[in-house]
Amino acid sequence: MFYAMIGEDSPGSLDKRMAARPAHLARLQALSDEGRLLIAGPMPAIDSPDPGPAGFAGSLVVAEFSSQTEAEAWLAADPYVRDAVFARTSVRPFKKVLP
């Protein structure tokens, strides 16, 4: 089943985000290589594809896992969680309808 994982950035965490980004992207690439990643990306803090110093409000990852517990464990081990980029996270089942 797919799970939507949302992380909300901590205030002032842009430098931490950028430092942890390569390791975060490597984990997402592994999910993609396994054919389990549906979509992933950051949510800019302002209405712009390049928010500059405004940074990001958080991130969304939708990926396939065998259970919600497995999805939660994957997210808990992510560098953005480990390095306090995210202030809050949530994991919810996701049912893909379109496209």
Side-chain angles (χ1 to χ4, degrees):
M1 177 165 204
F2 286 109
Y3 293 88
M5 297 173 278
I6 299 173
E8 297 177 41
D9 281 25
S10 300
S13 64
L14 183 57
D15 288 342
K16 289 180 184 180
R17 176 183 269 272
M18 299 315 293
R21 188 171 187 264
H24 171 74
L25 291 178
R27 296 182 83 236
L28 292 172
Q29 187 62 55
L31 284 177
S32 181
D33 292 347
E34 295 167 5
R36 297 169 48 201
L37 183 64
L38 184 62
I39 192 169
M43 296 178 280
I46 60 173
D47 189 11
S48 172
D50 181 6
F56 298 90
S59 294
L60 167 69
V61 175
V62 180
E64 188 174 23
F65 292 92
S66 62
S67 68
Q68 185 162 345
T69 300
E70 183 185 346
E72 289 169 348
W74 185 91
L75 183 56
D78 191 80
Y80 284 1
V81 173
R82 181 193 66 220
D83 295 348
V85 172
F86 293 152
R88 285 173 298 289
T89 61
S90 63
V91 177
R92 299 285 184 262
F94 181 83
K95 182 177 175 184
K96 183 180 184 278
V97 175
L98 293 171

